[in-house]
């Protein structure tokens, strides 16, 4: 499925997943001229870096010790006396220097260098990367690691770096040294990794709802749900507290709640190559474990003192590019509705938005 998602739509998914959908108008790519994921990400990084350079790279003060004539900055008297600088008319001082050579710029510069040696990137994109590198002020190359990205702090004055850093981190995670070559990197297509794409789809779904469904559901986020099980003794111990602590906590992908109406909907995002599964040529079925999971969320969130919790809706949402499903079930004699819905990603993005919002806000009413 993933290989047929239009490049432009994958870009939209990433923007929502990174919670920067407004950047679409600021950093754009020509989907018709971008024929592969490596070139998509490189073009995005080029566009984002060009914007950074136009508005000015971030700078920070860095303190360093220098031997100077006379006195400048903060005097380091111990070092000055130790090295006998005073008779020479000199001192050792700590001077604050405003520099571009800071972690944010080092990450962008190092990532650009790697993309210039990435297999599958078109020549004109590599040439644009080289021109950008020459426009950078003196910037150190660093070793990119998960810990390095974790050290970054984004604030109001450097908030645009948030988008650029997401790109750099994605590229860092997707580049591996190409076997049999030196200094060349191979791009590992993330769309072939169901685990990564499922996480991406979850984040997309969460941030889409926050952007477009606040009117219907003012409260949107993850929620923790405890199993409604009461301790009933243990074979080897009667420690009730321990038996309670052994129970895991369930966490939803997205929980939408309207405190005024009491309406609650739980969304579970599922990114799979095939929506339905079949065995031995039989008709495809909804995955058993997915139904069990959404049912567990809905039933265990019930509270006796909250009648509205007895009407919570659960929706399994699958991306697709071919088959479309919109199925609703009622759980036994309760007011719980369980739905299975798909979003076709192989269409105009406006239709995708309309379809997704309809899935989320539409209320199913069963007639007795």
């Amino acid at each position: 499925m993933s290989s047929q998602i239009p490049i432009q739509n994958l870009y939209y998914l990433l923007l929502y997943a990174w919670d920067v959908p407004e950047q679409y108008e600021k950093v754009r790519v020509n989907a018709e001229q971008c024929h592969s994921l490596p070139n998509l990400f490189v073009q995005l990084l080029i566009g984002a870096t060009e914007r950074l350079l136009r508005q000015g790279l971030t700078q920070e003060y860095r303190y360093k010790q220098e031997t100077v004539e006379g006195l400048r900055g903060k005097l380091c008297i111990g070092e000055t006396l130790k090295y006998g600088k005073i008779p020479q008319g000199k001192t050792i001082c700590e001077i604050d220097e405003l520099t571009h050579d800071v972690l944010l710029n080092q990450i962008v510069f190092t990532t650009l260098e790697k993309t210039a040696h990435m297999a599958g990137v078109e020549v004109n994109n590599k040439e644009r990367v080289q021109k950008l590198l020459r426009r950078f002020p003196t910037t150190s190359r660093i070793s990119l690691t998960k810990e390095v990205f974790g050290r970054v702090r984004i604030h109001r004055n450097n908030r645009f770096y948030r988008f650029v850093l997401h790109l750099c981190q994605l590229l860092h995670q997707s580049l591996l040294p190409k076997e049999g070559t030196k200094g060349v990197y191979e791009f590992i297509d993330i769309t072939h990794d169901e685990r990564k794409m499922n996480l991406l789809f979850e984040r997309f779904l969460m941030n889409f709802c926050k952007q477009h469904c606040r009117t219907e559901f003012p409260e949107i986020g993850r929620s923790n749900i405890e199993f409604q099980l009461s301790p009933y003794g243990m074979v080897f111990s009667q420690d009730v507290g321990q038996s309670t602590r052994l129970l895991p906590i369930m966490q939803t992908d997205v929980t939408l709640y309207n405190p005024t109406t009491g309406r609650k909907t739980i969304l579970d995002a599922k990114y799979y190559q095939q929506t339905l599964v079949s065995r031995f040529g039989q008709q495809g079925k909804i995955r058993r474990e997915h139904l069990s999971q959404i049912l567990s969320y809905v039933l265990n969130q019930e509270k006796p003192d909250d009648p509205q919790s007895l009407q919570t809706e659960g929706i399994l949402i699958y991306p697709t590019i071919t088959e479309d499903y919109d199925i609703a079930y009622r759980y036994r004699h309760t007011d719980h509705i369980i739905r299975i819905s798909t979003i076709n990603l192989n269409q105009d993005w406006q239709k995708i938005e309309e379809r997704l919002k309809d899935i989320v806000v539409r209320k199913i009413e069963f007639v007795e």
Side-chain angles (χ1 to χ4, degrees):
M1 180 195 73
S2 56
S3 61
Q4 300 178 50
I5 299 175
I7 291 286
Q8 196 76 12
N9 287 351
L10 182 61
Y11 179 29
Y12 273 111
L13 284 176
L14 289 168
L15 289 177
Y16 273 104
W18 296 339
D19 199 20
V20 288
E22 74 282 356
Q23 297 300 334
Y24 176 72
E25 295 299 329
K26 298 175 182 177
V27 180
R28 307 190 68 165
V29 294
N30 188 332
E32 294 181 358
Q33 297 179 5
C34 189
H35 307 111
S36 67
L37 282 187
N39 285 288
L40 167 68
F41 294 136
V42 171
Q43 284 190 30
L44 289 176
L45 186 58
I46 290 170
T49 306
E50 286 176 340
R51 184 162 178 258
L52 275 180
L53 290 167
R54 282 196 303 270
Q55 68 184 28
L57 297 176
T58 190
Q59 299 180 74
E60 296 175 11
Y61 280 101
R62 177 181 295 166
Y63 293 92
K64 63 178 182 178
Q65 285 188 355
E66 278 190 7
T67 299
V68 299
E69 300 283 347
L71 183 65
R72 184 153 57 99
K74 181 181 177 182
L75 174 64
C76 300
I77 190 166
E79 287 80 357
T80 299
L81 295 174
K82 178 180 178 180
Y83 294 103
K85 297 296 182 181
I86 292 178
Q88 305 171 25
K90 299 179 180 179
T91 58
I92 297 177
C93 297
E94 193 174 74
I95 303 168
D96 54 344
E97 176 190 43
L98 190 60
T99 178
H100 292 97
D101 194 15
V102 298
L103 182 61
L104 284 168
N105 297 328
Q106 291 166 356
I107 290 174
V108 177
F109 183 79
T110 303
T111 305
L112 276 169
E113 278 203 325
K114 282 192 170 184
T115 60
H117 301 89
M118 188 165 73
V121 176
E122 295 171 357
V123 173
N124 64 316
N125 285 330
K126 289 187 177 183
E127 290 174 348
R128 291 177 66 191
V129 168
Q130 293 292 355
K131 289 180 181 179
L132 280 178
L133 289 170
R134 290 193 290 270
R135 290 174 59 188
F136 264 75
T138 301
T139 307
S140 303
R141 300 171 183 82
I142 60 173
S143 177
L144 296 178
T145 63
K146 181 180 178 180
E147 290 70 28
V148 165
F149 285 99
R151 283 164 42 203
V152 172
R153 294 294 175 264
I154 300 296
H155 49 75
R156 186 177 64 180
N157 294 332
N158 65 10
R159 60 186 178 274
F160 180 68
Y161 275 88
R162 183 180 179 189
F163 170 66
V164 185
L165 287 171
H166 276 301
L167 273 174
C168 291
Q169 190 164 20
L170 186 149
L171 282 162
H172 165 66
Q173 295 169 346
S174 303
L175 292 180
L176 291 175
K178 188 172 182 180
E179 188 175 353
T181 61
K182 185 177 181 180
V184 178
Y185 296 91
E186 188 170 13
F187 181 83
I188 307 302
D189 192 340
I190 62 166
T191 63
H192 296 157
D193 187 325
E194 283 190 345
R195 183 185 62 81
K196 288 183 179 179
M197 289 302 294
N198 194 72
L199 181 60
L200 171 67
F201 188 59
E202 284 179 22
R203 291 174 177 170
F204 156 72
L205 194 59
M206 170 73 81
N207 292 325
F208 178 91
C209 290
K210 287 180 177 179
Q211 286 277 337
H212 299 284
C213 305
R214 286 288 190 186
T215 302
E216 297 80 7
F217 296 100
E219 297 181 10
I220 300 173
R222 292 180 180 272
S223 60
N224 293 330
I225 300 174
E226 297 181 352
F227 283 96
Q228 299 303 305
L229 297 173
S230 301
Y232 193 67
M234 297 176 68
V235 176
F236 301 108
S237 169
Q238 298 303 313
D239 185 346
V240 173
Q242 181 184 1
S243 62
T244 301
R245 290 191 296 272
L246 290 175
L247 291 174
I249 298 292
M250 295 177 282
Q251 187 176 69
T252 64
D253 289 345
V254 187
T255 298
L256 305 104
Y257 180 63
N258 188 320
T260 302
T261 63
R263 184 183 176 192
K264 182 190 287 185
T265 299
I266 296 173
L267 308 181
D268 203 26
K270 299 297 184 187
Y271 185 98
Y272 281 81
Q273 296 292 334
Q274 294 181 324
T275 305
L276 304 181
V277 291
S278 59
R279 297 181 63 187
F280 310 116
Q282 298 176 351
Q283 180 179 348
K285 304 285 185 181
I286 301 166
R287 296 171 190 263
R288 183 187 299 111
E289 63 272 22
H290 294 177
L291 275 178
S292 297
Q293 185 176 19
I294 196 69
L295 275 171
S296 188
Y297 289 158
V298 167
L299 298 180
N300 283 281
Q301 61 79 49
E302 290 183 345
K303 297 178 181 178
D305 58 347
D306 180 9
Q308 293 292 344
S309 70
L310 306 180
Q311 300 177 12
T312 296
E313 181 180 37
I315 310 177
L316 290 171
I317 301 183
Y318 296 86
T320 183
I321 56 160
T322 52
E323 51 200 0
D324 289 308
Y325 297 96
D326 212 350
I327 311 165
Y329 300 96
R330 182 177 183 178
Y331 182 71
R332 291 187 173 177
H333 57 280
T334 71
D335 290 324
H336 294 308
I337 304 300
I338 303 298
R339 291 165 54 197
I340 291 83
S341 298
T342 58
I343 304 170
N344 188 340
L345 296 181
N346 190 23
Q347 59 180 329
D348 180 78
W349 188 258
Q350 184 177 354
K351 293 182 179 178
I352 293 174
E353 288 186 336
E354 292 171 356
R355 165 68 174 159
L356 182 52
K357 183 162 186 181
D358 178 67
I359 290 173
V360 174
V361 305
R362 177 164 31 105
K363 188 172 177 61
I364 303 293
E365 301 284 355
F366 275 100
V367 179
E368 296 290 347

